[in-house]
Each structure stands twice: as structure tokens, then as C-alpha cells.
Amino acid sequence: MIDYFKGVYGLNLLGRIHGSSLYKGSLMGLLSVAVYLVIALLWANHRRDGEDDLDHPYGVGVLVSSVSFLITFRANYGYQRYWEACTSLSHFMSKW
């Protein structure tokens, strides 16, 4: 059995690079922030004075529809994975 030194509340495991989800997530987070900043700067330069695209109801409708579709898709995917795990566990326990 491999014995890991977890430290106080496992904080030293957060600083590890190998196998750390925080490290992998922070790279993608920084990349998305950089993309957002580039788009925001370009958008600010090309926007007309006094107009905002989200004032129109179609712009808001497209944004809400796309975000709700993505959230629903992710929730459905997670639910399918959960039931697949339950089925596999039940199958595993019946064979044991």
C-alpha cells in the first residue's frame, strides 16, 4: 500500500503538479481569461457609440438559449455517467 503524506487538510497535495486537477484547471482558466480579454478589447474598439448589442431582445435570447443548452447537455451527461456507474456497481456486486 502506498502511504501519502497529506499534511494539514491535504493542502500540500494542491501544490503538486503531477496529478493535480488545480494545475490543469488553472492553465485552462488562464487561457480562457486571455481569450476573453482579447475579445473584450477588440469589441470595445469596434463598438458604436451608445449602442449595446445586448439591448436587443434577440441578442439576449441567443445568449440565454445557448447557455441553457450547454448547461442541460452537461447535466444530462453527468446524469448518464452516474447511472452507468450505478449499473456497473450493481453488476459488479452481483458477480461477487
Side-chain angles (χ1 to χ4, degrees):
M1 184 168 128
I2 301 174
D3 190 25
Y4 293 104
F5 175 70
K6 295 179 185 171
V8 178
Y9 299 113
L11 291 178
N12 65 335
L13 295 178
L14 289 176
R16 285 184 18 184
I17 292 176
H18 179 70
S20 174
S21 61
L22 183 65
Y23 175 71
K24 293 176 186 175
S26 63
L27 289 177
M28 292 304 293
L30 290 175
L31 178 66
S32 64
V33 167
V35 168
Y36 167 76
L37 289 175
V38 167
I39 290 173
L41 289 174
L42 291 175
W43 189 281
N45 291 338
H46 293 293
R47 189 174 61 181
R48 291 176 233 119
D49 292 332
E51 277 190 35
D52 191 12
D53 289 335
L54 290 180
D55 285 341
H56 199 278
Y58 290 150
V60 174
V62 168
L63 183 65
V64 168
S65 298
S66 60
V67 169
S68 62
F69 175 74
L70 291 174
I71 289 173
T72 304
F73 182 74
R74 283 291 292 185
N76 188 22
Y77 185 69
Y79 187 69
Q80 286 176 352
R81 287 183 59 192
Y82 171 75
W83 276 112
E84 182 183 354
C86 289
T87 305
S88 298
L89 184 62
S90 175
H91 184 69
F92 173 73
M93 294 300 284
S94 70
K95 296 280 183 176
W96 197 20

